[in-house]
Amino acid sequence: MENKSINLEKEFQARIDRGENIEAKDWMPEKYRKTHIRQISQHAHSEVVGMLPEGNWISRAPSLRRKVALLAKVQDEAGHGLYLYSAAETLGISRDELVEQLLEGTAKYSSIFNYPTLTWADMGAVGWLVDGAAIINQVMLTKTSYGPYARAMVRICKEESFHQRQGYEIMLALANGTDAQKQMAQDALNRFWWPSLMMFGPRDEDSPNTEQSMKWKIKKKTNDELRQQFVDQTVPQADILGLTIPDPDLKWNDENGGYDFGEIDWDEFWDVVKGNGPCNRKRMEDRNNAWDNGAWVREAALAHARKQAEQKISKTA
């Protein structure tokens, strides 16, 4: 039995090494399955919780055009959560269990959504920086080794790319506006820059999952490589806006062909991850309230589905 397990693992790794996709009904190590459940569910939860700080600004957006665009973005994020919950279900976990983990606070989601959105400029910063960081993470995932996850990411990346452009356009309008508007944009950048760098996770040396995830091609680049890519991509964009990255240690490195940047406050990162960020408790309270208030919708949908099924049976009887 032990030899059979070893042979299965060897063949599994050989498929990974050949660049093949692993599908839902294929044999896989239990740790591979659990790693994907953790990663996909965290991603799904992030999409759902990420609707909260943006949804808060729909009614306060400065024009009808901005309201409609933000409403569409929030709707997209709800869809992303649904795609991802569906992908996670192919690994043998129910959506009810995934949602319960989120509502109980036992599942994680991106730390960035535990920061408040204080001004309209924050909607620009979230689109530009947060979605920009997400795209760098997620484009890599379109080539991840688990097929259902990789395929779900194709559409998500296309929509996230549009969200990033939408956020940058908000920042551009503010940066080219009045002095007060430009200052509002700079303030949003100041507050979201470092949390955006934290989105890529802990340093490689402190990440317990990176080595195995790279071996299984769940990830194609490490946390630090992705973070460097984000900095190199975003600094020139800030220059075009005429805004200043809030990092006195930021400088171009000719030898490396990229930007050197300052040290992230890892104490803050771990504090937020552990549930002690500015908005952790509020986000969970709001999600639980939304779940409770939406009970009648779920009950009505189930009742309608039952009625449809009964009518179909009666017609075929």
Side-chain angles (χ1 to χ4, degrees):
M1 192 70 174
E2 185 178 346
N3 287 338
K4 182 180 179 181
S5 177
I6 292 173
N7 289 336
L8 285 170
E9 290 196 20
K10 285 183 177 179
E11 176 54 28
F12 175 84
Q13 188 60 53
R15 290 187 62 192
I16 297 287
D17 294 340
R18 290 195 298 267
E20 296 180 21
N21 274 350
I22 306 301
E23 299 298 339
K25 294 183 179 180
D26 293 342
W27 184 90
M28 63 187 73
E30 183 63 12
K31 186 175 180 181
Y32 180 89
R33 187 183 76 86
K34 288 184 175 179
T35 298
H36 262 100
I37 289 174
R38 175 184 57 80
Q39 182 168 328
I40 297 172
S41 67
Q42 285 183 6
H43 190 171
H45 298 329
S46 298
E47 297 284 356
V48 171
V49 175
M51 296 162 64
L52 294 171
E54 293 177 318
N56 183 48
W57 276 96
I58 291 172
S59 63
R60 297 185 288 160
S63 68
L64 179 60
R65 173 175 174 264
R66 297 296 190 192
K67 285 178 170 65
V68 170
L70 186 55
L71 185 62
K73 181 183 180 185
V74 172
Q75 185 178 28
D76 284 348
E77 287 163 350
H80 297 172
L82 294 177
Y83 302 152
L84 293 165
Y85 285 135
S86 295
E89 285 180 307
T90 66
L91 292 159
I93 188 169
S94 71
R95 189 170 307 197
D96 287 344
E97 188 176 351
L98 292 169
V99 173
E100 184 177 349
Q101 290 172 356
L102 172 62
L103 298 177
E104 289 180 345
T106 57
K108 302 294 185 185
Y109 56 86
S110 180
S111 60
I112 191 71
F113 299 117
N114 290 312
Y115 290 85
T117 48
L118 304 177
T119 71
W120 170 248
D122 289 9
M123 293 299 94
V126 167
W128 171 38
L129 300 175
V130 176
D131 292 327
I135 291 166
I136 287 175
N137 258 323
Q138 294 169 9
V139 166
M140 171 189 68
L141 293 173
T142 63
K143 303 297 183 182
T144 192
S145 60
Y146 187 57
Y149 191 21
R151 289 189 289 274
M153 291 312 305
V154 173
R155 177 170 177 175
I156 290 174
C157 284
K158 289 179 180 177
E159 293 178 349
E160 291 289 3
S161 179
F162 186 80
H163 298 166
Q164 193 268 350
R165 291 184 180 94
Q166 179 182 324
Y168 191 77
E169 194 265 341
I170 291 172
M171 295 297 277
L172 186 63
L174 291 171
N176 290 327
T178 65
D179 289 344
Q181 288 172 325
K182 185 171 184 178
Q183 182 54 47
M184 185 190 298
Q186 181 65 58
D187 175 65
L189 171 56
N190 292 347
R191 286 183 287 105
F192 275 93
W193 174 252
W194 293 106
S196 295
L197 294 188
M198 295 176 193
M199 285 179 64
F200 297 96
R203 292 170 294 197
D204 292 345
E205 62 196 75
D206 298 326
S207 176
N209 304 307
T210 293
E211 184 178 354
Q212 185 64 73
S213 292
M214 296 287 286
K215 181 180 179 182
W216 279 334
K217 297 187 179 179
I218 296 173
K219 297 178 68 170
K220 298 294 184 75
K221 294 183 179 180
T222 70
N223 295 350
D224 288 340
E225 287 172 338
L226 292 168
R227 194 168 7 249
Q228 183 67 57
Q229 183 180 338
F230 173 74
V231 172
D232 292 343
Q233 172 182 298
T234 309
V235 171
Q237 295 172 354
D239 290 341
I240 293 171
L241 292 172
L243 301 178
T244 303
I245 299 292
D247 180 359
D249 297 322
L250 184 73
K251 62 180 181 298
W252 178 257
N253 186 317
D254 277 324
E255 184 177 347
N256 295 332
Y259 287 92
D260 294 334
F261 54 94
E263 183 71 10
I264 293 170
D265 185 343
W266 293 111
D267 289 338
E268 177 183 328
F269 169 78
W270 290 113
D271 205 36
V272 175
V273 168
K274 291 174 183 176
N276 301 313
C279 296
N280 287 71
R281 291 174 180 81
K282 178 168 175 53
R283 297 290 183 246
M284 284 296 90
E285 181 181 313
D286 288 345
R287 277 309 311 157
N288 275 277
N289 287 339
W291 179 257
D292 293 341
N293 293 335
W296 69 272
V297 178
R298 297 190 299 276
E299 291 166 4
L302 289 171
H304 178 71
R306 284 193 297 268
K307 184 176 180 180
Q308 293 291 98
E310 290 167 0
Q311 290 175 347
K312 186 175 182 180
I313 291 171
S314 66
K315 287 179 181 179
T316 57

